[in-house]
Amino acid sequence: MRCLKCRGVAAVEVRRHRAAYCAPHFLEFFEAQVHRALTTQRMLRPEERILVAVSGGKDSLALWEVLLRRGDDTTGLHINLGIGDYSRESRARTEEFARARGARLFVADLREEYGMDIGTLAEASGRSPCSACGLSKRYLFNKMARDGGFTAVATGHNLDDEAAVLLGNLLHWNMDQLARQAPVLEQTHPHLVRRVKPLYRTSERESAAYAILRGIDYVIEECPHSRGARSLLHKGVLNSLEAASAGTKQAFYWGFLDRLAPVIRAGGPPALHPCRQCDQPTTEEVCAFCRMTARAAARLNARTPSLP
Amino acid sequence: MKVRLHHPRRVLEIPGRQRVSRILADLGLDPEAFLVIRGDALLTSDSEVGDEDEIEIRPVISGGWADGAPCAA
Ligand SMILES: [Zn+2]
Ligand SMILES: [Zn+2]
């Protein structure tokens, strides 16, 4: 296979574009796609202070690398979830990445801040680990961004992630979540920090290829909780469709953004107000994170006999 | 050739010179879900791998599921 640009030996095939690229031209392609996502979706404004959510995996580190190379004003935020070796590895890779590039990194520790790691929090609150983790991360991204004076939170969600979520939301007709699925989540309340997904145009395979070709040492191991996760089933189904007809995933997700998203968003965003307990934006009286941690703490206290 | 795989980590020995697409197909691996690495180079599906080569087949699909959002971040 030959590079579309220079006819040299290709390193990465991008079937949905009927293209293949050598290593340098693939890096150029990937960075151009991120740049296009940022500009066409108006993800960043001048003087934007970006908090990049970094797990230590391929997507978030590839994203941070591109933003750093663009010269954007970024700070990384890594959340230590306390999931054994997986979390230790993830933190080490993230810190090494930041150190090697002289990039600013915050590390937040769930156990230090809230007295519980993901395992305990999930078990004691009756949620699945993935659900407890997702809720905690979304909450902390916004809280840390607001406290630190950041104007945008960037996450490494890619085309495969977004297409798999879309499939899941459609299968279950989760209308609220469909209305919220977008590459940019605008600030609809003063306490809410804008969220952007600059990798929504590129696939998971491309993030991995970019990270490998840039020599980024990311965590290959998967979170032990993700085994058998529903998202993997959805991704597998979409990959089968993609194998049969390249471009299906992109057409599915981008078609949604173009055609259905504007219709279901016509009602406007849900009304948000500050959580009575923590001041973070929520549609309820008390936000889901405060309710989860309160329920978990109550259950743990009931189990532990009180000290004399 | 030596083939390094993940989840679980293991090394296979496959005899003869073969195309990347063939190797993936024989192992029952979806080409969309893996990258094939030799040294510091990535190989496309039509690349040939020699008997003396060592390659890594690296999975690229990650995912837990968190309230309708994959845990990509
Ligand atoms: Zn080229
Ligand atoms: Zn709250």
Side-chain angles (χ1 to χ4, degrees), chain A residues 138 162 165 169 174-186 188 192 195 197 253 256-257 261 264-265 268-270 272 283, chain B residues 67-69:
Chain A
R138 275 201 308 279
E162 295 301 306
V165 171
N169 283 339
N174 296 331
M175 295 310 285
D176 291 349
Q177 286 170 10
L178 279 169
R180 264 185 276 139
Q181 204 184 338
V184 182
L185 295 167
E186 290 297 343
T188 53
L192 190 69
R195 267 192 297 165
K197 301 171 182 172
Y253 180 54
F256 161 76
L257 292 180
I264 53 179
R265 269 184 229 135
L272 295 174
T283 51
Chain B
D67 278 349

Short mmCIF file of all heavy atoms in Angstrom, two decimals, chain A residues 138 162 165 169 174-186 188 192 195 197 253 256-257 261 264-265 268-270 272 283, chain B residues 67-69:
data_model
loop_
_atom_site.label_atom_id
_atom_site.label_comp_id
_atom_site.label_asym_id
_atom_site.label_seq_id
_atom_site.Cartn_x
_atom_site.Cartn_y
_atom_site.Cartn_z
N ARG A 138 -17.07 13.20 35.41
CA ARG A 138 -17.75 14.40 34.86
C ARG A 138 -17.85 15.49 35.91
O ARG A 138 -17.64 16.67 35.64
CB ARG A 138 -19.14 14.03 34.36
CG ARG A 138 -19.14 13.49 32.94
CD ARG A 138 -20.51 13.64 32.31
NE ARG A 138 -21.56 13.07 33.15
CZ ARG A 138 -21.84 11.78 33.21
NH1 ARG A 138 -21.16 10.92 32.48
NH2 ARG A 138 -22.80 11.34 33.99
N GLU A 162 -18.21 7.94 20.24
CA GLU A 162 -19.43 8.70 19.99
C GLU A 162 -20.45 7.87 19.21
O GLU A 162 -21.65 7.92 19.50
CB GLU A 162 -19.12 10.00 19.25
CG GLU A 162 -18.26 10.99 20.06
CD GLU A 162 -18.93 11.40 21.37
OE1 GLU A 162 -20.08 11.86 21.33
OE2 GLU A 162 -18.30 11.25 22.44
N VAL A 165 -21.92 5.26 21.59
CA VAL A 165 -22.88 5.90 22.50
C VAL A 165 -24.18 6.17 21.77
O VAL A 165 -25.27 5.93 22.28
CB VAL A 165 -22.32 7.23 23.05
CG1 VAL A 165 -23.41 7.98 23.81
CG2 VAL A 165 -21.15 6.96 23.96
N ASN A 169 -27.76 4.85 22.78
CA ASN A 169 -28.85 5.79 23.09
C ASN A 169 -30.06 5.56 22.19
O ASN A 169 -31.20 5.70 22.63
CB ASN A 169 -28.37 7.23 22.96
CG ASN A 169 -27.52 7.67 24.16
OD1 ASN A 169 -27.61 7.06 25.23
ND2 ASN A 169 -26.71 8.69 23.97
N ASN A 174 -32.87 6.83 24.68
CA ASN A 174 -32.53 7.75 25.77
C ASN A 174 -32.57 9.18 25.23
O ASN A 174 -31.55 9.72 24.83
CB ASN A 174 -31.12 7.47 26.30
CG ASN A 174 -31.01 6.09 26.92
OD1 ASN A 174 -31.98 5.56 27.45
ND2 ASN A 174 -29.81 5.51 26.85
N MET A 175 -33.74 9.77 25.21
CA MET A 175 -33.90 11.06 24.55
C MET A 175 -33.06 12.16 25.22
O MET A 175 -32.49 13.00 24.55
CB MET A 175 -35.37 11.47 24.50
CG MET A 175 -36.24 10.57 23.65
SD MET A 175 -35.56 10.26 21.99
CE MET A 175 -35.91 11.82 21.18
N ASP A 176 -33.01 12.14 26.56
CA ASP A 176 -32.23 13.18 27.27
C ASP A 176 -30.77 13.10 26.87
O ASP A 176 -30.11 14.11 26.63
CB ASP A 176 -32.34 13.00 28.79
CG ASP A 176 -33.73 13.31 29.28
OD1 ASP A 176 -34.53 13.85 28.48
OD2 ASP A 176 -34.02 13.01 30.46
N GLN A 177 -30.25 11.86 26.81
CA GLN A 177 -28.84 11.71 26.47
C GLN A 177 -28.58 12.00 25.00
O GLN A 177 -27.54 12.53 24.64
CB GLN A 177 -28.34 10.32 26.88
CG GLN A 177 -28.17 10.25 28.40
CD GLN A 177 -27.92 8.87 28.92
OE1 GLN A 177 -27.68 7.94 28.16
NE2 GLN A 177 -27.99 8.74 30.22
N LEU A 178 -29.54 11.66 24.14
CA LEU A 178 -29.39 11.99 22.71
C LEU A 178 -29.30 13.51 22.54
O LEU A 178 -28.50 14.01 21.75
CB LEU A 178 -30.58 11.46 21.91
CG LEU A 178 -30.53 9.97 21.53
CD1 LEU A 178 -31.88 9.53 20.98
CD2 LEU A 178 -29.43 9.70 20.52
N ALA A 179 -30.12 14.22 23.30
CA ALA A 179 -30.13 15.69 23.18
C ALA A 179 -28.82 16.30 23.64
O ALA A 179 -28.46 17.40 23.23
CB ALA A 179 -31.29 16.27 23.98
N ARG A 180 -28.11 15.57 24.50
CA ARG A 180 -26.85 16.10 25.04
C ARG A 180 -25.62 15.62 24.27
O ARG A 180 -24.51 16.02 24.58
CB ARG A 180 -26.70 15.67 26.51
CG ARG A 180 -27.16 16.73 27.48
CD ARG A 180 -26.88 16.31 28.90
NE ARG A 180 -27.94 15.46 29.43
CZ ARG A 180 -27.74 14.39 30.18
NH1 ARG A 180 -26.53 14.01 30.50
NH2 ARG A 180 -28.77 13.70 30.62
N GLN A 181 -25.81 14.72 23.29
CA GLN A 181 -24.64 14.16 22.60
C GLN A 181 -24.16 15.11 21.51
O GLN A 181 -24.84 15.31 20.51
CB GLN A 181 -24.97 12.78 22.01
CG GLN A 181 -23.71 11.96 21.83
CD GLN A 181 -23.93 10.63 21.15
OE1 GLN A 181 -25.03 10.08 21.16
NE2 GLN A 181 -22.87 10.11 20.56
N ALA A 182 -22.99 15.69 21.71
CA ALA A 182 -22.46 16.67 20.76
C ALA A 182 -20.96 16.83 20.95
O ALA A 182 -20.45 16.57 22.03
CB ALA A 182 -23.16 18.01 20.97
N PRO A 183 -20.26 17.28 19.90
CA PRO A 183 -18.81 17.52 20.04
C PRO A 183 -18.51 18.70 20.96
O PRO A 183 -17.43 18.80 21.51
CB PRO A 183 -18.35 17.83 18.62
CG PRO A 183 -19.47 17.41 17.72
CD PRO A 183 -20.72 17.47 18.52
N VAL A 184 -19.47 19.61 21.11
CA VAL A 184 -19.29 20.75 22.01
C VAL A 184 -20.52 20.84 22.91
O VAL A 184 -21.64 20.87 22.43
CB VAL A 184 -19.19 22.09 21.23
CG1 VAL A 184 -18.96 23.24 22.19
CG2 VAL A 184 -18.07 22.03 20.20
N LEU A 185 -20.28 20.88 24.22
CA LEU A 185 -21.39 21.12 25.14
C LEU A 185 -21.20 22.53 25.68
O LEU A 185 -20.26 22.79 26.45
CB LEU A 185 -21.39 20.08 26.26
CG LEU A 185 -21.67 18.66 25.76
CD1 LEU A 185 -21.36 17.62 26.82
CD2 LEU A 185 -23.12 18.53 25.29
N GLU A 186 -22.05 23.42 25.23
CA GLU A 186 -21.89 24.83 25.56
C GLU A 186 -22.16 25.10 27.04
O GLU A 186 -22.80 24.31 27.71
CB GLU A 186 -22.85 25.68 24.70
CG GLU A 186 -22.49 25.74 23.23
CD GLU A 186 -21.14 26.40 22.94
OE1 GLU A 186 -20.60 27.11 23.82
OE2 GLU A 186 -20.62 26.20 21.82
N THR A 188 -24.25 26.36 29.48
CA THR A 188 -25.64 26.80 29.57
C THR A 188 -25.98 27.31 30.97
O THR A 188 -27.12 27.63 31.25
CB THR A 188 -26.59 25.64 29.21
OG1 THR A 188 -26.24 24.51 30.03
CG2 THR A 188 -26.45 25.26 27.74
N LEU A 192 -21.26 25.98 34.82
CA LEU A 192 -20.92 24.86 33.94
C LEU A 192 -19.80 25.29 33.00
O LEU A 192 -19.90 26.33 32.35
CB LEU A 192 -22.17 24.47 33.14
CG LEU A 192 -22.10 23.17 32.34
CD1 LEU A 192 -22.06 21.97 33.28
CD2 LEU A 192 -23.33 23.07 31.43
N ARG A 195 -17.58 21.92 27.45
CA ARG A 195 -16.83 20.68 27.22
C ARG A 195 -16.68 20.44 25.74
O ARG A 195 -17.65 20.59 24.99
CB ARG A 195 -17.54 19.49 27.88
CG ARG A 195 -17.00 19.25 29.30
CD ARG A 195 -17.49 17.95 29.82
NE ARG A 195 -18.94 17.96 29.93
CZ ARG A 195 -19.68 16.87 30.09
NH1 ARG A 195 -19.10 15.69 30.13
NH2 ARG A 195 -20.98 16.95 30.19
N LYS A 197 -14.86 17.91 22.49
CA LYS A 197 -14.31 16.59 22.14
C LYS A 197 -13.60 16.70 20.79
O LYS A 197 -14.17 16.34 19.75
CB LYS A 197 -15.45 15.57 22.04
CG LYS A 197 -16.25 15.41 23.31
CD LYS A 197 -17.49 14.56 23.05
CE LYS A 197 -18.33 14.43 24.30
NZ LYS A 197 -19.63 13.77 24.03
N TYR A 253 -22.64 8.69 12.75
CA TYR A 253 -22.52 9.72 13.77
C TYR A 253 -22.65 11.14 13.19
O TYR A 253 -23.38 11.96 13.72
CB TYR A 253 -21.20 9.57 14.55
CG TYR A 253 -21.06 10.63 15.62
CD1 TYR A 253 -22.07 10.80 16.57
CD2 TYR A 253 -19.94 11.45 15.70
CE1 TYR A 253 -21.96 11.78 17.55
CE2 TYR A 253 -19.82 12.42 16.66
CZ TYR A 253 -20.84 12.59 17.59
OH TYR A 253 -20.74 13.56 18.55
N PHE A 256 -26.17 11.90 12.33
CA PHE A 256 -26.94 12.26 13.52
C PHE A 256 -26.74 13.73 13.87
O PHE A 256 -27.69 14.47 14.12
CB PHE A 256 -26.52 11.37 14.69
CG PHE A 256 -26.90 11.92 16.04
CD1 PHE A 256 -28.22 11.85 16.48
CD2 PHE A 256 -25.94 12.50 16.86
CE1 PHE A 256 -28.57 12.37 17.72
CE2 PHE A 256 -26.29 13.02 18.11
CZ PHE A 256 -27.61 12.96 18.54
N LEU A 257 -25.47 14.16 13.86
CA LEU A 257 -25.16 15.55 14.23
C LEU A 257 -25.83 16.54 13.26
O LEU A 257 -26.35 17.58 13.68
CB LEU A 257 -23.65 15.79 14.24
CG LEU A 257 -22.85 15.07 15.32
CD1 LEU A 257 -21.37 15.42 15.19
CD2 LEU A 257 -23.35 15.42 16.72
N ALA A 261 -29.81 15.72 15.56
CA ALA A 261 -29.47 16.51 16.75
C ALA A 261 -30.17 17.87 16.78
O ALA A 261 -30.74 18.25 17.82
CB ALA A 261 -27.96 16.66 16.86
N ILE A 264 -33.91 17.35 17.86
CA ILE A 264 -34.22 17.00 19.26
C ILE A 264 -33.71 18.04 20.24
O ILE A 264 -34.11 18.05 21.39
CB ILE A 264 -33.70 15.60 19.66
CG1 ILE A 264 -32.22 15.45 19.35
CG2 ILE A 264 -34.47 14.51 18.95
CD1 ILE A 264 -31.68 14.09 19.74
N ARG A 265 -32.86 18.95 19.77
CA ARG A 265 -32.38 20.00 20.67
C ARG A 265 -33.25 21.26 20.61
O ARG A 265 -32.97 22.22 21.30
CB ARG A 265 -30.95 20.37 20.33
CG ARG A 265 -29.97 19.54 21.13
CD ARG A 265 -28.55 19.98 20.86
NE ARG A 265 -27.74 18.81 20.57
CZ ARG A 265 -26.88 18.73 19.58
NH1 ARG A 265 -26.68 19.77 18.79
NH2 ARG A 265 -26.20 17.63 19.39
N GLY A 268 -34.37 23.34 23.57
CA GLY A 268 -33.41 24.08 24.39
C GLY A 268 -32.85 23.20 25.49
O GLY A 268 -33.39 22.13 25.77
N PRO A 269 -31.76 23.64 26.11
CA PRO A 269 -31.12 22.83 27.14
C PRO A 269 -31.96 22.79 28.42
O PRO A 269 -32.75 23.70 28.65
CB PRO A 269 -29.80 23.55 27.39
CG PRO A 269 -30.04 24.96 26.99
CD PRO A 269 -31.10 24.93 25.92
N PRO A 270 -31.80 21.72 29.22
CA PRO A 270 -32.55 21.65 30.47
C PRO A 270 -32.12 22.78 31.42
O PRO A 270 -30.98 23.22 31.37
CB PRO A 270 -32.16 20.27 31.04
CG PRO A 270 -30.88 19.92 30.37
CD PRO A 270 -30.89 20.59 29.04
N LEU A 272 -30.71 24.46 34.51
CA LEU A 272 -29.77 24.05 35.54
C LEU A 272 -29.79 25.06 36.68
O LEU A 272 -30.09 26.23 36.47
CB LEU A 272 -28.35 23.98 34.97
CG LEU A 272 -28.08 22.93 33.88
CD1 LEU A 272 -26.68 23.10 33.32
CD2 LEU A 272 -28.27 21.52 34.42
N THR A 283 -29.78 19.47 37.46
CA THR A 283 -31.20 19.69 37.15
C THR A 283 -32.05 19.40 38.39
O THR A 283 -33.24 19.66 38.40
CB THR A 283 -31.66 18.76 36.00
OG1 THR A 283 -31.28 17.42 36.34
CG2 THR A 283 -31.02 19.16 34.68
N ASP B 67 -22.76 5.79 32.25
CA ASP B 67 -23.94 6.65 32.10
C ASP B 67 -24.04 7.21 30.70
O ASP B 67 -24.18 8.41 30.50
CB ASP B 67 -23.88 7.82 33.10
CG ASP B 67 -24.37 7.38 34.45
OD1 ASP B 67 -24.93 6.28 34.53
OD2 ASP B 67 -24.19 8.13 35.42
N GLY B 68 -23.94 6.35 29.72
CA GLY B 68 -24.11 6.82 28.35
C GLY B 68 -22.87 7.44 27.77
O GLY B 68 -22.87 7.89 26.64
N ALA B 69 -21.77 7.46 28.51
CA ALA B 69 -20.53 8.01 27.95
C ALA B 69 -19.40 7.03 28.17
O ALA B 69 -19.24 6.53 29.27
CB ALA B 69 -20.20 9.34 28.63
#
